[in-house]
Amino acid sequence: MAAESPIWRRVNTFSGPVPRSRHGHRAAAIRELLIVFGGGNEGIAEELHVYNTVSKQWFLPAVRGDIPPGCAAHGFACEGTRILVFGGMVEFGKYSNSLYELQASRWLWKKLKPKPPRNGVPPCPRLGHSFTLFGNKCYLFGGLANDSDDPNSNVPRYLNDFYELELQAVSGVKGWNIPETKGTAPSARESHTAIIYSSKGSYSPKLYIFGGMRGYRLGDLWQLDLETMTWTLPETKGPSPIPRSLHSTNVIGNKMYVFGGWIPILMNEDKSNAFDNEWSCTNSMSYLNLDTMTWNGLVWERQEDGKASSPRPRAGHCAAVIGSRLYIWSGRDGYRKAWNYQVCCKDLWYLETEKPSTPSPVFLVKATLKSLHVAWHPLPAAESYLLQLQPEPTAPASPSALSSNQLSSANPPTIVPLKELQQGAAATLLELSGTAGAQAAQSTGSTALFQLQSGEEAAHTHQVTSHVPSYIEREDTSLKKPGCNESSTENSVDQNAACVAESKHCPLTGPPSTTGLVHTEQDPTANIAPHNQMTESTVKSEPMETELSNDAAPLPPKSQDQDNTTPATLTTTSVTSTKSNIQMGNTELADNQWYDVGIFKTLYSEVTHYYLPPVDSKGNLEPTNSPDYEDLKQQALTPGAAYRFRVAGINSCGQGQFSQVSEYKTCQPGFPGAPSSVKITKAADCIHITWEPPTSPSGKILEYSMYLAVRKNRSSTAVSSSQLAFIRIYRGTKIHCTVTSSQLSNALIDCTSRPAVVFRIAAKNEQGYGPATQIRWLQDAFKPRPPPVAAPQSTDKQPLELPDSTGTLKTKTET
């Protein structure tokens, strides 16, 4: 999937508090977040800045704990959501050997005190060293020390010492160690780079050190086999990069990319000394294939519009890899003696190295009579998305067609494996935080979200436009967004719910949405997600975690003469597939033909139609690769019809592969909507659940049914979302119910994503049961929980909830 040549792209639009330009800073990547710390120009910067590459927003997280002083040319290593900072210059002539840890899941700083090595002294204060993490160890090499006792003077000493720092699991360190190495070690240096690479199929990690400074610029490449601890000078092929320092080196796949830095220059043509005392910045880039050990130089051509096709020369910049993209920010491009200060860049760029990866399946947010509101999760390397659908022929469905295995209203409750969807029904999924205190969901007349503004108690409504946010999600921790505090905050709202709103209002068409908004009092130990995309206000309160999407089956009642104790499976009129072509007006569409819905720069689309390819003189469809949809005929969606969806990412390197197929159905007329405004209040020995009645086009609501996901047996732990079994815990006309502690003791803790107790509620009118609202009541993330079980492969008839790389917001709609 790799392109023949990578392509640079400048990020021209972003929002939030942009950090001032600098050099000597460092960056690390945690999922889609770029974490920047340290460096400076006129003074050393102390703030921690974060850039969300999906929402294109800068923000300042509210850090706490043992906040380190600002530093430059320090070590910066990342593992999961933990970042380690070692050494660096804290002020002119004063270097540090302090070690700090940042727990980015809570934005908590902690100063660490590792044990000294048994076979030597701990590392001395230094700057310009390399600090590389692999497994449970960090490897420290080289740097520059100041041997002067006078902080106003500088007696530099280049270092080539080598240390191991052993880490503890999750947080903390054990101590330093000086490993015994074989072979000739690299010469002393500073401002070099180091990476670790392990080829696929074999565990033989190797540490590579390139370049640096020791009075002159270096261009040598060193290899340390971490298994045998043997230093070597590996043989390479191809043209090696120019000697340099203050450059960046990053690994994407099996390639090591070297960019920028200070390089030596010749004063005139007569000079041939490559180690001259005059240097300049460069924007040259080379990469080393670490499997074949072959160097390749990259050359950038100027764009047709005359704009730069690559970053301008710089040194002391920061660089980090997110997905298959290499991001660089700031750095200095030279020294102006007349102005007596460094000239620093202010731009942000990324290098596109591959086509986008395969996205997760399209999920359903809302279904109406003639539209399907669908969304998809972001890809780190996608600039836009191609959405396609395929109509599925359907057999006429009778509104009253239900299985004889309907659920009874009598007790005891019945276990119901949800397998099929009541005709015409989609559903809404809400996720409530598992905390003490009130938790509420407020609905709006159309799909909408609320978020708390800075310093405000009330939430403001924004119409959903197009974006679905991304997330940081660990097994038991997630990154907080900026401005979070540790105290519980009532009526706080997750920005990471379903679709994030723009600042402008973009009303949606169609009937009122079944999607609601959840308010909660946040537990300090609950998972928190970072500041999210497409919102211009700064959020100052902690969010709860909310899932909003369309979920699985509404639950019809069992007939009164049915045995209550016998497990029943919901069945419905099936969607019949035929091999015949689909007749659309005068055009006959092949049942294996995919049709474009459009190319979107958003993560969200309300699909009301799709585009038909051109038709030849004989009335046959002609394939077309043209993205110009203005000349193509539109075909509207029809009620009660099933459609298959797939999506693919697009970037400068081309179009990636399509996702797995998801199939969703437009609604049948007359069924009630899904209950909304769900509110859970936790009491001492029970919980109280309330909701608001949905719209009902065909008469009044006759009854509600509330279901609880339970363990099928005592040995049940985590199951996939398609395997959940439910018992009915309430059936009646009231819009509230109580769930006792004895009922909750049988609840299944669903760990397919975040641990949660799962409820489902649906309403019935004269036509039957409408779409169900699923509520995932989040439990304490720090309680022990069983490992998640991988979800089964989805089929073209049943898109399942699959673990994703971006957090919550999953679909479990069944058809």
Side-chain angles (χ1 to χ4, degrees):
M1 290 181 61
E4 294 184 0
S5 180
I7 301 172
W8 281 109
R9 285 289 179 262
R10 180 171 180 169
V11 181
N12 293 311
T13 58
F14 41 78
S15 61
V18 181
R20 59 187 172 94
S21 57
R22 63 191 66 185
H23 60 94
H25 51 296
R26 300 289 186 261
I30 302 179
R31 292 288 181 90
E32 72 270 29
L33 299 187
L34 185 70
I35 317 292
V36 178
F37 179 69
N41 188 17
E42 298 176 355
I44 297 177
E46 299 180 350
E47 302 87 359
L48 185 75
H49 289 265
V50 181
Y51 177 71
N52 188 315
T53 59
V54 173
S55 63
K56 297 183 179 180
Q57 288 179 319
W58 286 98
F59 65 88
L60 286 163
V63 296
R64 56 193 178 88
D66 306 323
I67 301 176
C71 55
H74 47 286
F76 205 62
C78 179
E79 183 268 334
T81 57
R82 168 170 60 171
I83 295 176
L84 295 173
V85 180
F86 174 76
M89 181 175 70
V90 293
E91 59 183 72
F92 178 77
K94 183 179 179 181
Y95 306 159
S96 169
N97 63 349
S98 298
L99 179 66
Y100 289 86
E101 177 188 77
L102 173 67
Q103 285 289 342
S105 59
R106 294 174 289 168
W107 300 122
L108 177 65
W109 283 105
K110 183 179 180 181
K111 187 172 184 178
L112 305 178
K113 297 181 179 179
K115 295 179 181 179
R118 296 180 180 179
N119 54 346
V121 297
C124 64
R126 66 189 66 200
L127 61 73
H129 47 283
S130 58
F131 194 58
T132 315
L133 191 151
F134 185 83
N136 67 333
K137 291 181 180 179
C138 273
Y139 298 92
L140 169 68
F141 176 79
L144 182 70
N146 184 6
D147 286 343
S148 173
D149 295 330
D150 183 3
N152 294 322
S153 62
N154 190 18
V155 180
R157 175 167 58 94
Y158 294 100
L159 305 170
N160 70 338
D161 48 358
F162 183 66
Y163 288 85
E164 287 178 343
L165 177 64
E166 187 174 359
L167 311 180
Q168 293 178 343
V170 182
S171 177
V173 294
K174 294 181 179 180
W176 293 105
N177 178 47
I178 303 177
E180 295 183 3
T181 60
K182 306 172 186 176
T184 303
S187 59
R189 66 192 66 201
E190 57 102 0
S191 298
H192 56 282
T193 54
I195 60 98
I196 295 177
Y197 175 75
S198 181
S199 60
K200 292 182 179 180
S202 65
Y203 183 83
S204 59
K206 293 178 175 58
L207 172 72
Y208 291 93
I209 291 176
F210 175 75
M213 172 71 174
R214 57 168 304 174
Y216 53 87
R217 267 66 188 177
L218 303 170
D220 49 353
L221 177 70
W222 290 84
Q223 174 184 287
L224 174 65
D225 189 316
L226 296 180
E227 288 293 297
T228 63
M229 283 294 167
T230 302
W231 287 105
T232 58
L233 277 167
E235 295 184 4
T236 62
K237 295 175 270 186
S240 299
I242 301 172
R244 65 192 65 204
S245 64
L246 290 174
H247 54 284
S248 60
T249 300
N250 303 86
V251 176
I252 302 177
N254 65 344
K255 297 180 176 63
M256 181 181 80
Y257 290 88
V258 177
F259 173 76
W262 286 104
I263 59 173
I265 60 173
L266 303 178
M267 295 299 296
N268 54 58
E269 296 180 356
D270 296 334
K271 289 194 175 183
S272 59
N273 182 11
F275 303 134
D276 196 84
N277 290 326
E278 295 291 335
W279 308 283
S280 67
C281 291
T282 183
N283 63 348
S284 62
M285 172 174 271
S286 299
Y287 70 84
L288 174 68
N289 186 312
L290 294 168
D291 293 332
T292 63
M293 299 305 292
T294 302
W295 284 105
N296 290 275
L298 298 174
V299 179
W300 321 110
E301 296 181 0
R302 200 163 190 86
Q303 297 179 3
E304 294 180 359
D305 56 5
K307 294 183 180 179
S309 59
S310 63
R312 72 176 191 257
R314 68 194 63 209
H317 53 281
C318 70
V321 174
I322 296 179
S324 59
R325 285 178 173 174
L326 171 62
Y327 282 84
I328 68 164
W329 179 71
S330 199
R332 60 183 180 183
D333 69 350
Y335 183 80
R336 301 292 188 267
K337 294 182 179 180
W339 300 343
N340 197 32
Y341 73 95
Q342 302 287 348
V343 176
C344 291
C345 309
K346 299 179 181 180
D347 47 355
L348 174 66
W349 292 74
Y350 63 84
L351 181 71
E352 200 80 271
T353 64
E354 295 180 357
K355 298 176 183 177
S357 57
T358 303
S360 57
V362 174
F363 58 86
L364 184 66
V365 176
K366 182 181 67 173
T368 68
L369 293 176
K370 295 184 179 181
S371 71
L372 290 169
H373 227 132
V374 297
W376 49 92
H377 293 298
L379 296 175
E383 298 172 357
S384 58
Y385 299 87
L386 171 62
L387 179 65
Q388 292 185 336
L389 65 74
Q390 184 183 85
E392 176 73 9
T394 60
S398 171
S400 59
L402 290 175
S403 169
S404 60
N405 291 332
Q406 291 180 327
L407 300 177
S408 171
S409 60
N411 289 317
T414 302
I415 295 179
V416 184
L418 296 181
K419 295 296 183 184
E420 301 183 23
L421 180 66
Q422 171 71 8
Q423 58 178 354
T428 299
L429 181 83
L430 301 180
E431 183 169 298
L432 306 185
S433 177
T435 66
Q439 300 157 6
Q442 298 187 8
S443 66
T444 60
S446 59
T447 304
L449 293 180
F450 297 91
Q451 66 177 21
L452 289 179
Q453 306 297 322
S454 173
E456 294 182 357
E457 297 268 334
H460 297 281
T461 304
H462 294 279
Q463 296 294 335
V464 169
T465 52
S466 56
H467 278 272
V468 176
S470 56
Y471 306 87
I472 298 291
E473 184 182 15
R474 299 279 299 162
E475 183 173 332
D476 56 0
T477 58
S478 301
L479 292 187
K480 288 181 184 177
K481 63 179 176 55
C484 292
N485 53 59
E486 287 300 303
S487 61
S488 296
T489 306
E490 189 169 0
N491 292 339
S492 60
V493 179
D494 187 9
Q495 278 190 293
N496 297 331
C499 309
V500 173
E502 300 243 19
S503 59
K504 60 183 180 181
H505 293 268
C506 299
L508 302 173
T509 60
S513 168
T514 60
T515 304
L517 170 73
V518 175
H519 291 261
T520 182
E521 180 177 84
Q522 176 65 38
D523 178 45
T525 62
N527 286 346
I528 304 299
H531 184 73
N532 230 332
Q533 66 195 45
M534 303 311 295
T535 55
E536 296 187 355
S537 59
T538 302
V539 178
K540 293 297 183 182
S541 57
E542 271 192 354
M544 48 73 59
E545 294 180 344
T546 304
E547 284 189 330
L548 293 174
S549 74
N550 283 19
D551 198 69
L555 303 169
K558 188 178 178 182
S559 61
Q560 294 295 329
D561 57 354
Q562 179 80 16
D563 182 3
N564 296 319
T565 61
T566 303
T569 302
L570 172 66
T571 59
T572 166
T573 303
S574 62
V575 177
T576 303
S577 177
T578 68
K579 292 299 181 181
S580 62
N581 291 345
I582 307 166
Q583 191 71 26
M584 296 291 185
N586 296 324
T587 304
E588 197 175 68
L589 307 183
D591 60 356
N592 60 352
Q593 174 76 35
W594 286 94
Y595 303 94
D596 288 0
V597 177
I599 296 177
F600 302 90
K601 289 188 175 294
T602 63
L603 304 172
Y604 202 87
S605 174
E606 183 181 9
V607 182
T608 58
H609 62 272
Y610 54 95
Y611 293 96
L612 302 179
V615 179
D616 62 18
S617 58
K618 297 181 181 181
N620 299 320
L621 296 177
E622 294 181 348
T624 177
N625 295 322
S626 173
D628 185 6
Y629 299 113
E630 295 182 358
D631 299 331
L632 299 182
K633 182 180 178 181
Q634 297 182 7
Q635 178 66 50
L637 272 59
T638 57
Y643 297 90
R644 296 172 179 172
F645 287 89
R646 65 182 186 180
V647 67
I650 302 172
N651 64 16
S652 302
C653 294
Q655 177 186 313
Q657 295 182 357
F658 279 102
S659 66
Q660 292 183 352
V661 175
S662 303
E663 185 173 314
Y664 304 111
K665 186 179 179 182
T666 52
C667 290
Q668 293 280 10
F671 288 90
S676 58
S677 296
V678 179
K679 178 180 179 181
I680 295 181
T681 304
K682 187 176 180 182
D685 57 350
C686 64
I687 62 171
H688 303 286
I689 305 178
T690 62
W691 57 90
E692 288 187 2
T695 57
S696 178
S698 301
K700 66 178 182 179
I701 300 296
L702 301 179
E703 66 181 22
Y704 300 92
S705 288
M706 173 74 74
Y707 293 84
L708 170 68
V710 296
R711 298 186 297 269
K712 293 182 180 179
N713 51 64
R714 292 185 178 181
S715 62
S716 294
T717 54
V719 296
S720 71
S721 59
S722 64
Q723 299 171 333
L724 294 178
F726 287 77
I727 60 171
R728 180 160 52 205
I729 56 176
Y730 170 77
R731 181 181 180 184
T733 59
K734 297 180 180 179
I735 57 172
H736 58 83
C737 70
T738 298
V739 185
T740 65
S741 58
S742 60
Q743 290 173 321
L744 288 172
S745 65
N746 295 319
L748 171 73
I749 303 299
D750 179 26
C751 297
T752 51
S753 55
R754 296 185 175 104
V757 174
V758 180
F759 298 94
R760 285 179 180 172
I761 180 175
K764 178 186 177 183
N765 65 6
E766 296 174 356
Q767 293 286 335
Y769 270 84
T773 298
Q774 174 164 300
I775 304 99
R776 304 190 75 250
W777 186 34
L778 291 180
Q779 302 303 294
D780 189 349
F782 291 90
K783 290 180 180 179
R785 61 170 178 170
V789 174
Q793 294 294 320
S794 63
T795 67
D796 59 349
K797 285 287 185 180
Q798 181 173 303
L800 303 174
E801 178 181 30
L802 300 175
D804 67 283
S805 63
T806 58
T808 60
L809 192 57
K810 306 175 179 67
T811 182
K812 302 199 297 187
T813 301
E814 300 171 350
T815 58

